[in-house]
Amino acid sequence: MMHYKIVLTGSGIMVDHYGSPEPVMGFVTCRLLKADSEKLAVATVKRDILVQWNQSFNADRKAGLPKLSVEQIKPVNPLLSRKPKHDFYFYVSEEQREEHLQELTQPKRRWFKKK
């Protein structure tokens, strides 16, 4: 079994943005999990995200079902990978979406120098 880091985007939702004129366009999320294959990892993550979405944000069934797209999937070492700080990073513009994606997909700067 391999450990995978999967970054997905969800679009096509209607979430109240607390009275702001800019509607929430979607979200970016990242998950770490162990699976036998990439295909199984993606299917498991999509199922888990949709279940969490319906329980947390779509309990009244007004927010809609997000269209999930895989942005990145890669094998990782579980001991060297940090879990994301948040479950969902909501965005109201394409620029904000790109910022969230860059934060989740770009490698972090190491605190030590590699020789």
Side-chain angles (χ1 to χ4, degrees):
M1 286 192 131
M2 294 284 298
H3 288 82
Y4 295 97
K5 176 182 178 182
I6 303 173
V7 178
L8 294 111
T9 55
S11 59
I13 57 173
M14 298 182 303
V15 176
D16 185 21
H17 193 223
Y18 303 108
S20 175
E22 296 177 322
V24 172
M25 296 173 64
F27 61 85
V28 178
T29 187
C30 178
R31 298 291 191 274
L32 300 173
L33 79 147
K34 185 165 83 170
D36 290 329
S37 67
E38 279 189 14
K39 187 176 178 179
L40 182 60
V42 169
T44 303
V45 165
K46 283 184 174 183
R47 182 205 63 208
D48 292 348
I49 288 171
L50 291 175
V51 167
Q52 184 179 6
W53 175 259
N54 281 329
Q55 290 173 348
S56 300
F57 300 102
N58 200 23
D60 59 0
R61 301 294 186 250
K62 292 182 181 179
L65 198 61
K67 179 183 178 237
L68 299 176
S69 303
V70 176
E71 298 295 331
Q72 182 187 61
I73 180 169
K74 65 179 186 177
V76 294
N77 183 334
L79 299 176
L80 300 177
S81 299
R82 291 185 184 174
K83 291 191 178 188
K85 294 179 183 177
H86 304 289
D87 285 334
F88 296 96
Y89 294 85
F90 291 99
Y91 60 87
V92 296
S93 66
E94 284 300 315
E95 293 81 23
Q96 198 175 26
R97 175 186 175 270
E98 291 302 319
E99 288 173 13
H100 292 318
L101 279 174
Q102 187 174 11
E103 181 181 328
L104 293 172
T105 59
Q106 299 300 318
K108 303 289 185 208
R109 223 175 85 203
R110 295 177 189 244
W111 59 271
F112 62 91
K113 290 185 180 182
K114 201 172 185 179
K115 291 184 180 181

